[in-house]
Amino acid sequence: MSAEHRPEYPARTPSPPKRPVRPPQPARPTSDTKPKSAAPAPHGRARMSMINRRAATWGLEAAPWTAAKASGAVVARLRDWGYPATDRAARDLTALLVSTAVADGGRRVSVHLADQDRQALIVALSHRTGLTVADETLLPQLAALGAVSCGTDTAVDGRRLWAVLDL
């Protein structure tokens, strides 16, 4: 005769989750579903986009040392991409663009770099709002440093300064 075995404690059950289970996130739009047109931004200026090329971006504090740091980063990235012969021109152009953006008086500066067809695009964005006057002496200085094309525009969100350099 076998005696039925009864445990002296209740069966162990898993504890409930500490956080409720979140439903799955909706699918993000892919590049196939994004519109191909450059729609103007809310402030009236078309957004900058660099598509189908190598690119790099740095967000920096607007400080006196920012131009040197950005110049070094741009030259290092161009070397990584196989363009070592343009170190001086890239360094000088980046330093001038960034120091001009820092002089706008904003709290931060963004530096963007892209390459295509043996040319580099270097862009500095100052994020100071309310700028209305553009510096007219900047473009001849950029051209003297080796820029094959350059420009600047001012909008509600700050000033965009750019230069194209042959590599």
Side-chain angles (χ1 to χ4, degrees):
M1 186 166 154
S2 72
E4 193 174 314
H5 178 68
R6 291 187 173 184
E8 297 175 4
Y9 51 88
R12 184 172 179 143
T13 58
S15 59
K18 294 182 181 180
R19 289 189 229 158
V21 178
R22 293 184 0 179
Q25 297 292 324
R28 292 187 133 166
T30 63
S31 61
D32 297 336
T33 60
K34 289 183 182 177
K36 300 292 183 192
S37 65
H43 48 75
R45 176 171 68 179
R47 290 184 179 230
M48 184 176 73
S49 64
M50 293 182 271
I51 303 170
N52 299 329
R53 65 202 62 166
R54 290 184 289 196
T57 302
W58 298 271
L60 304 166
E61 175 187 0
W65 49 264
T66 302
K69 182 173 182 174
S71 296
V74 166
V75 167
R77 185 58 54 101
L78 287 173
R79 282 183 190 157
D80 290 345
W81 290 346
Y83 303 116
T86 59
D87 287 359
R88 184 174 188 107
R91 184 179 312 278
D92 294 344
L93 280 172
T94 305
L96 180 58
L97 291 169
V98 173
S99 62
T100 304
V102 168
D104 287 344
R107 292 183 358 180
R108 61 190 176 102
V109 173
S110 301
V111 179
H112 305 269
L113 174 68
D115 78 323
Q116 181 179 11
D117 299 330
R118 301 216 34 96
Q119 289 186 324
L121 169 66
I122 305 167
V123 180
L125 297 166
S126 70
H127 296 277
R128 179 161 178 242
T129 59
L131 292 176
T132 57
V133 179
D135 184 6
E136 294 182 15
T137 63
L138 177 66
L139 300 182
Q141 291 174 355
L142 291 170
L145 291 175
V148 294
S149 181
C150 55
T152 179
D153 70 340
T154 305
V156 177
D157 64 337
R159 182 161 47 161
R160 178 170 45 200
L161 310 147
W162 58 271
V164 176
L165 175 66
D166 279 335
L167 299 174

